Amino acid sequence: PDRGPHPWVGGVDVRKEILKLKDLPNGEDLEFGGGATHDIMHAAYGNARFCFVPRGKSGWSLRLFEVLFAGCVPVMISDKWELPFEEFLDVTKFVIKWPSTQIGEGLLTYLRSLPDSTVQAYMDEIRRVRCWYFYPPKSLDIRGHLQRQHKVCPEENGQDALRGVFKILQLKRRRSKSSPRSFYFRDATGKLQRVGTDLEPLR
């Protein structure tokens, strides 16, 4: 079912600007959904080199996660969106983030200028990291059976969104003076040293 148009929430109307691209002299190779079903859209994603990911009803959009698993390179046009897991993933290796005020011929020229090797590097990195954006289904859920059947994000690869959240929490864990893994002393110059159990400096 059609979810209706996305409301305009101020700033650049990104979707309207993207649709204008098809009217450019060299816009004939662009494909737009225009109310297409999910099956048709997912097939189009799978055949594309790049997929536009405009902002949704909020700063983020489900489209990013769809295109990551379709394998096309996401071109994110949502200025205020900070991607999940930037704390430990280099998102610049698998996402192109383009300013919403610069949607036009320059964007298409840039995308078409990228050599196959660069596009392939983006796609390879997408395949390597995309499971961090996958929430594992419950073991008795039919989705769990489909996941195992199709070998999508198998548990043994150690990547899923829940583990990603735990990884971030671990990175943010505070090491206080009273922590059993935090030690401190002053060196011969009087400079305070904070170290872990291996006597390596704490970061």
Side-chain angles (χ1 to χ4, degrees), residues 142-157:
I142 184 63
R143 290 171 297 177
H145 171 71
L146 292 172
Q147 176 193 11
R148 290 186 293 276
Q149 181 181 356
H150 296 287
K151 297 186 171 128
V152 175
C153 298
E155 285 187 31
E156 57 268 21
N157 81 357

Side-chain angles (χ1 to χ4, degrees), residues 154-174:
E155 285 187 31
E156 57 268 21
N157 81 357
Q159 294 180 359
D160 63 52
L162 187 58
R163 287 180 176 140
V165 170
F166 287 149
K167 192 175 179 79
I168 289 173
L169 291 174
Q170 189 174 23
L171 290 170
K172 291 185 175 182
R173 189 178 54 166
R174 179 173 176 262

Side-chain angles (χ1 to χ4, degrees), residues 31-46 51 63 66 70:
E31 198 167 326
F32 295 89
T37 65
H38 279 103
D39 288 346
I40 291 173
M41 286 306 300
H42 290 168
Y45 296 157
C51 293
R63 191 81 63 239
E66 292 175 334

